[in-house]
Amino acid sequence: MKLENLQPSGSFKIRGVGNMCQQAVQKHGAQTHLVCSSGGNAGLAVAYAGRQLEVKVTIVVPLSCSEFMKKKIQAEGASVEVGGEAWDEADLVARTLVANDPHGVYIPPFDDAAIWDGNSTMIDELKEQMGGVTPDAIICSVGGGGLMNGVILGCQRAGWDKVPLLAVETHGANSFQQSVLAGELVTLSKITSIATTLGAKRVSAKSLELSMVHPVAPFGVSDAMASSACWQFLDDHRFLVEPACGASLCIAYTPALLANIFPQLNQDSNVVLIVCGGSNISFEQLVQYKDMFGAEGQQATIAVRSGDQILLKMTTETTPQRTIISNSYKPTPKVADSPVAV
């Protein structure tokens, strides 16, 4: 396990946005005003970075942002402004603030090369920590794609370009999986998952591009599976993480799923699980999720590429099925000119 939950801001986000914030201050100086549109872990990481760099920070959050996260962001010394009902509206407010401030620098939550480069450093560390052993597979959660992009770029730099990546999302927040299936970027009509920090309606274009050159299996799990994994992880390791992180963890707690996805793995295989963390969680919230879901083992979906085919598996822990849904997949992604509702 790569324990990114132990980062100072509580998640892997500080690697990427921290890198971008540091570059911004180095370029613009002490008057830099960092502005980010995120009511989640990216916003908290920017707030932390700004405090360490001793510069002004404004985090623009949507109305859906919890008071719990607002207080965490403010505790880092950042100003919090509410703009719009959803993230895309808050993002417009953030960009407007930057446009009207000569010292303003926009820090996106996930979609920038500096962020991907920062996130890729976890693979540099991982290569050293594994002492010459090449992973047989890596598992990580996917929201907007910043983490996945960093992992793939890091693997390519490390010479791990053949190491398969299992990219896990929850149903209702699976914009990457939908995009791979469609062969083009897909915009979800709305986010319906409890894993709100995975809630990017549209994954970064770079994510789809990288999935064409690196072995990636997009995988969707239920909210019930993700929240159950959070409970199990808390019991096993005394770490409290978000359902966005639980989405990946549930793969480890459902070994039959992993065997079904990567049948070449065995008991002696080396599988790396990136514990991305997340600060938007409390014990009370976890109890609510437990009350919300009375059944476990809800259906999960996996989309994997095999030659020129896209394969869709609908599977539970015990009854895997495989259906070919397309045989005309092309290696070059077509980016949609306008959002596609799903």
Side-chain angles (χ1 to χ4, degrees):
M1 293 184 292
K2 187 64 173 159
L3 297 178
E4 294 297 301
N5 59 308
L6 299 182
Q7 292 286 355
S9 66
S11 78
F12 76 95
K13 288 285 188 179
I14 191 59
R15 289 185 184 269
V17 298
N19 183 49
M20 190 172 183
C21 290
Q22 189 170 29
Q23 290 181 9
V25 174
Q26 288 172 344
K27 180 178 180 179
H28 301 288
Q31 298 301 311
T32 302
H33 176 198
L34 303 174
V35 181
C36 179
S37 56
S38 168
N41 294 299
L44 183 59
V46 172
Y48 171 83
R51 181 167 66 84
Q52 297 297 317
L53 295 166
E54 299 182 337
V55 295
K56 181 180 179 181
V57 176
T58 299
I59 307 299
V60 184
V61 304
L63 286 170
S64 58
C65 180
S66 65
E67 289 298 320
F68 178 75
M69 281 303 289
K70 289 179 189 176
K71 290 179 180 178
K72 283 197 170 189
I73 293 169
Q74 290 169 333
E76 292 289 350
S79 299
V80 174
E81 294 191 18
V82 179
E85 293 187 3
W87 172 80
D88 49 354
E89 295 173 2
D91 191 56
L92 289 175
V93 173
R95 292 175 185 269
T96 301
L97 284 176
V98 171
N100 295 325
D101 185 345
H103 301 295
V105 176
Y106 173 70
I107 307 294
F110 55 84
D111 200 358
D112 189 275
I115 292 176
W116 311 330
D117 288 343
N119 290 338
S120 73
T121 60
M122 73 176 68
I123 301 301
D124 298 334
E125 293 175 10
L126 187 61
K127 184 175 183 179
E128 181 178 354
Q129 291 169 331
M130 294 196 66
V133 176
T134 299
D136 295 297
I138 298 176
I139 304 170
C140 77
S141 297
V142 181
L147 173 58
M148 186 187 76
N149 295 353
V151 169
I152 293 176
L153 292 172
C155 283
Q156 292 176 340
R157 186 167 61 241
W160 291 352
D161 52 306
K162 302 298 183 183
V163 175
L165 176 67
L166 182 60
V168 190
E169 299 166 289
T170 49
H171 300 309
N174 56 335
S175 58
F176 175 62
Q177 184 184 48
Q178 295 284 356
S179 296
V180 171
L181 287 171
E184 61 184 13
L185 289 177
V186 169
T187 301
L188 303 180
S189 59
K190 61 181 179 179
I191 302 298
T192 58
S193 170
I194 63 170
T196 54
T197 51
L198 295 183
K201 293 181 181 179
R202 188 182 180 101
V203 75
S204 73
K206 186 68 172 179
S207 301
L208 190 57
E209 175 190 329
L210 288 172
S211 74
M212 305 295 171
V213 297
H214 191 90
V216 179
F219 193 88
V221 301
S222 68
D223 283 346
M225 293 170 69
S227 62
S228 175
C230 291
W231 272 106
Q232 291 174 281
F233 195 61
L234 179 61
D235 282 343
D236 289 345
H237 299 285
R238 302 301 184 263
F239 289 139
L240 180 63
V241 296
E242 293 182 20
C245 182
S248 290
L249 292 172
C250 77
I251 304 299
Y253 287 116
T254 318
L257 279 179
L258 189 59
N260 190 33
I261 301 161
F262 298 128
Q264 74 275 17
L265 299 181
N266 57 54
Q267 191 172 352
D268 298 321
S269 298
N270 295 290
V271 178
V272 174
L273 179 64
I274 296 176
V275 183
C276 56
S279 295
N280 191 15
I281 190 66
S282 67
F283 185 74
E284 290 181 350
Q285 286 175 297
L286 207 55
V287 171
Q288 291 175 2
Y289 295 149
K290 191 172 185 179
D291 293 339
M292 187 184 304
F293 303 111
E296 298 179 8
Q298 295 186 17
Q299 199 172 59
T301 4
I302 176 172
V304 295
R305 187 162 55 252
S306 176
D308 63 347
Q309 297 179 330
I310 293 273
L311 302 179
L312 179 68
K313 294 181 187 178
M314 298 300 294
T315 179
T316 64
E317 183 175 351
T318 56
T319 57
Q321 296 178 339
R322 177 177 290 190
T323 306
I324 297 177
I325 66 165
S326 171
N327 59 7
S328 59
Y329 188 73
K330 303 301 180 184
T332 303
K334 173 187 175 184
V335 179
D337 295 326
S338 59
V340 180
V342 175

